[in-house]
């Protein structure tokens, strides 16, 4: 196994272990919702005037998929749409009270999981942290360039 394969294998293994440890509690607390629905709720809450285009860009999904997703969330009465006085054409989304409850539950679970894992990060020194962040940013920039080269846009 070369270093790229080994590193990618270990990233996937790490991500899968985190997902496994979080899965049961997340599923219990957020019954009836998919991970994608919860992340859409999170994106709506954390962004100013989210619309289909913004959500597609943030969640790396097509606009068609976001339209279906937001319709499903509206049917579950977790989000509602609105329009601005100065722009009657564009449709935006906001959370309902039930959507806010889901958002806060999700945030509380993340805080709990972060607390569970904080020991690892407390033991990390500044040099280790900086090396990891440098690598992550270098890889992220590379992927952004590849996406731009392919002229891929999320529609």
């Amino acid at each position: 196994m070369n270093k790229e394969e080994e590193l990618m294998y270990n990233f996937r293994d790490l991500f899968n272990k985190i997902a496994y440890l979080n899965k049961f509690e997340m599923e219990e607390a957020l019954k009836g919702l998919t991970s994608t629905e919860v992340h859409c709720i999170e994106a709506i809450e954390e962004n100013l005037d989210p619309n289909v285009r913004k959500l597609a860009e943030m969640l790396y999904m097509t606009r068609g998929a976001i339209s279906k997703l937001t319709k499903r969330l509206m049917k579950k009465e977790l989000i509602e749409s609105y329009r601005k006085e100065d722009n009657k054409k564009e449709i935006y989304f906001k959370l309902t009270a039930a959507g806010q409850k889901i958002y806060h539950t999700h945030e509380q679970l993340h805080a709990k999981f972060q607390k569970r894992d904080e020991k690892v990060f407390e033991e990390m020194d500044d040099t280790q942290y900086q090396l990891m962040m440098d690598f992550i940013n270098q890889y992220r920039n590379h992927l952004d360039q590849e996406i731009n080269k392919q002229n891929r846009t999320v529609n």
Side-chain angles (χ1 to χ4, degrees):
M1 194 181 298
N2 67 34
K3 64 183 175 184
E4 177 187 354
E5 291 169 333
E6 185 176 10
L7 194 58
M8 295 308 289
Y9 170 83
N10 283 300
F11 274 141
R12 276 190 300 277
D13 187 55
L14 178 65
F15 177 78
N16 288 339
K17 285 178 181 176
I18 293 167
Y20 175 78
L21 281 172
N22 298 354
K23 175 183 168 105
F24 302 104
E25 200 164 347
M26 283 279 200
E27 285 178 351
E28 181 64 29
L30 303 168
K31 275 188 179 144
L33 295 173
T34 66
S35 174
T36 303
E37 289 171 335
V38 173
H39 288 118
C40 186
I41 287 169
E42 181 179 46
I44 289 170
E45 177 62 19
E46 294 180 355
N47 290 280
L48 182 64
D49 297 326
N51 58 19
V52 169
R53 182 189 53 77
K54 271 188 185 178
L55 292 171
E57 288 172 4
M58 286 183 276
L59 299 172
Y60 296 96
M61 296 173 71
T62 64
R63 289 193 300 240
I66 292 294
S67 290
K68 288 178 185 175
L69 180 57
T70 53
K71 283 178 184 157
R72 210 165 52 233
L73 290 171
M74 288 193 312
K75 189 174 182 179
K76 292 180 179 187
E77 298 181 351
L78 297 172
I79 68 170
E80 57 191 21
S81 62
Y82 67 94
R83 292 180 184 188
K84 293 183 177 182
E85 284 296 317
D86 61 340
N87 182 355
K88 295 292 185 188
K89 181 183 170 209
E90 194 66 49
I91 298 171
Y92 302 95
F93 302 100
K94 64 182 178 179
L95 301 185
T96 62
Q100 285 281 336
K101 186 176 178 189
I102 296 295
Y103 174 79
H104 290 297
T105 299
H106 183 243
E107 288 299 296
Q108 289 169 343
L109 286 170
H110 272 290
K112 180 179 180 180
F113 302 148
Q114 189 175 355
K115 181 91 172 135
R116 175 197 67 207
D117 298 338
E118 73 184 2
K119 182 179 189 282
V120 175
F121 295 94
E122 288 171 352
E123 293 174 357
M124 178 186 291
D125 67 30
D126 291 345
T127 303
Q128 288 174 309
Y129 174 79
Q130 196 55 56
L131 285 170
M132 290 194 66
M133 289 307 298
D134 289 346
F135 173 77
I136 289 168
N137 288 325
Q138 180 182 359
Y139 197 14
R140 180 184 295 124
N141 290 336
H142 164 73
L143 295 175
D144 287 343
Q145 289 172 7
E146 289 300 311
I147 289 168
N148 288 336
K149 256 197 245 177
Q150 295 178 16
N151 257 341
R152 290 200 182 193
T153 56
V154 180
N155 346 339

